[in-house]
Amino acid sequence: MKRGVLYGVSVGPGDPELLTLKAVRAIERADVVAVPDIGHKRRTAYSICEEHLGGKELLDCSTPMTRDRSLAQAAYERVADDVCALLDEGKSVAYLCLGDIGVYSTYAYVHDIVVARGYEALIIPGVTSFSASAAKLGTALCLGSERLVVAPASSAGIDDVLDMRATKVFMKSGKQLGELQRKLADRGQLDRASMVANCGLPDERVYERFADVDADGDADYFSVVIVKSS
C-alpha cells in the first residue's frame, strides 16, 4: 500500500478569510485532519477551518505548554506515532497550524520527526500573526532599509532585541506585557509601540498605543506587540 502524505497546513492567525486557496484545497483533499490542542480550552485552528472539514476524521494532537524539553519531545514523538500510523494506512493527513508554520510552530517539531522516519511531508505557508496585526493597525512593518526583528517575549531575555535599531515584533507576549511596557518606557520606545491581541478572532482587541494596555486585565497568550523603528 502506498503511504499517505503529511501536509503541514498554515491557517493564518484567526480570520477564516485569511486561509490561502492552497490551504483550503489541502484540507478538503485530506483523509484526516490533525487538530492541535495546546491547553487554551479552545481549538482555534479547528474553528478557523471548520467550514472546510466536511465531517472528516479528526486526530487530536495534544502537546503540553512546558519549558521542559523532555516532556515536549515525548509529546511530539507521540503525535508523530499517531500521524505515521495513519500514513501507513495510505491516508493523507492535514495538520492544522496557526499563523505560519515557519514561525514558532509546534508542527515543525512533528514535521522533522516524520520526515526523519522516511515519510513524505509538505509545508503550506500562511499569513503570520504579526503581518495581520500590522494590517489591523494600518501600518507597514518595515520600509526601505529598515530591519525587522521577531522574538518571543516569553524568552529568557529580550534586552538585546530591545536595543536593536529595527522594527521589533514580540510574540507570545501575554504574561510579559507589564515587563515589556517597563523596559520600553526605560528606553523611550513605549510611544512607538502598539499591540493586537487575538488578531482575527471574535475577541480581537487592537491598541494603537501599547501604553494604554492594562498589563493584567488585557494579558493574552495571543498578543503581538509591534515597536516601530525610530
Side-chain angles (χ1 to χ4, degrees):
M1 181 183 297
K2 184 179 179 180
R3 282 176 166 178
V5 177
L6 171 62
Y7 295 90
V9 183
S10 305
V11 302
D15 184 349
E17 293 188 351
L18 291 181
L19 276 169
T20 66
L21 293 174
K22 193 165 188 176
V24 171
R25 290 187 184 118
I27 293 166
E28 292 178 343
R29 291 174 182 170
D31 299 301
V32 180
V33 175
V35 182
D37 178 4
I38 55 175
H40 292 294
K41 298 182 180 178
R42 59 181 181 187
R43 289 183 170 183
T44 310
Y46 174 89
S47 299
I48 294 169
C49 305
E50 190 169 8
E51 68 176 283
H52 303 290
L53 299 182
K56 291 181 182 291
E57 178 183 351
L58 300 179
L59 175 66
D60 185 10
C61 299
S62 298
T63 54
M65 292 295 290
T66 176
R67 293 182 184 273
D68 187 323
R69 295 309 303 168
S70 62
L71 288 178
Q73 187 63 31
Y76 302 147
E77 295 282 354
R78 185 169 60 252
V79 170
D81 289 343
D82 293 338
V83 169
C84 290
L86 292 168
L87 300 179
D88 285 336
E89 294 175 12
K91 295 180 178 179
S92 61
V93 178
Y95 194 119
L96 308 183
C97 177
L98 279 174
D100 177 76
I101 283 171
V103 182
Y104 301 122
S105 73
T106 297
Y107 168 80
Y109 298 101
V110 176
H111 176 93
D112 289 347
I113 295 169
V114 172
V115 170
R117 294 180 183 181
Y119 294 83
E120 183 179 3
L122 304 173
I123 292 175
I124 297 174
V127 177
T128 66
S129 60
F130 54 87
S131 293
S133 295
K136 288 287 182 181
L137 292 163
T139 187
L141 286 167
C142 43
L143 295 169
S145 61
E146 291 176 342
R147 293 178 294 174
L148 175 66
V149 178
V150 181
S154 55
S155 60
I158 58 172
D159 289 346
D160 59 331
V161 177
L162 289 166
D163 293 333
M164 292 181 180
R165 295 189 64 180
T167 291
K168 296 170 277 284
V169 171
F170 294 99
M171 302 177 64
K172 309 177 185 179
S173 300
K175 293 181 179 178
Q176 282 71 39
L177 290 183
E179 180 182 4
L180 187 54
Q181 283 176 328
R182 289 189 293 274
K183 289 189 173 185
L184 287 170
D186 290 343
R187 289 167 171 80
Q189 300 179 27
L190 187 56
D191 288 340
R192 293 192 266 114
S194 305
M195 188 184 92
V196 178
N198 302 318
C199 185
L201 296 171
D203 54 349
E204 173 186 276
R205 301 186 303 281
V206 178
Y207 301 90
E208 293 188 3
R209 284 173 41 83
F210 183 40
D212 295 336
V213 173
D214 179 347
D216 296 319
D218 295 323
D220 193 286
Y221 180 78
F222 295 120
S223 294
V224 175
V225 176
I226 298 174
V227 186
K228 295 301 294 290
S229 170
S230 59

